[in-house]
Amino acid sequence: ASGRCYAAQNNWTQKELRPRFRALRWQNPLTFKAWFGEVTAARRDGYAIDRGHYIRGLTITAAPVLGNDGHVVRAIAAIGIAEQLTGKKELQVALDIKEAAEQLSA
């Protein structure tokens, strides 16, 4: 999830991201097309959610912390058991993390 945030904030093209994507290691890989769609959503939403791709059974939610220059300097992330973090709970965690990251970025 933090990688999606990083990719989203850097505004790289699909061509620039493809070799970076190939270097990633996942327990449950997703396609580049699906991952790029999630990067696009992270750019729009200000947070990203990995639902069991990086580590099976875990949901990882992250939001970028930006430096004064607007570039990502770190990310805030939360990890939960996928079956326990769904629907409204998942969205609330994402929004809380996004708010905390925005406060740290300010």
Side-chain angles (χ1 to χ4, degrees):
S2 58
R4 290 167 179 84
C5 292
Y6 186 74
Q9 292 298 319
N10 280 297
N11 293 316
W12 287 316
T13 65
Q14 285 189 33
K15 185 177 179 179
E16 292 169 314
L17 284 172
R18 195 172 296 276
R20 289 174 168 90
F21 174 80
R22 280 193 286 260
L24 299 173
R25 298 294 168 248
W26 314 72
Q27 282 192 340
N28 184 24
L30 67 165
T31 65
F32 176 79
K33 182 178 179 179
W35 179 80
F36 188 76
E38 293 180 4
V39 169
T40 301
R43 187 176 296 123
R44 179 194 66 225
D45 299 336
Y47 63 85
I49 301 173
D50 179 291
R51 295 174 182 91
H53 293 286
Y54 179 58
I55 302 171
R56 280 189 181 110
L58 297 181
T59 295
I60 304 170
T61 305
V65 176
L66 307 178
N68 291 335
D69 61 0
H71 289 92
V72 178
V73 294
R74 60 186 48 90
I76 297 175
I79 301 172
I81 306 298
E83 288 76 23
Q84 295 175 348
L85 192 60
T86 59
K88 290 180 182 179
K89 288 180 190 176
E90 179 184 78
L91 179 59
Q92 190 58 57
V93 167
L95 294 175
D96 290 346
I97 288 174
K98 178 183 174 184
E99 181 181 345
E102 288 172 345
Q103 289 175 5
L104 288 172
S105 297

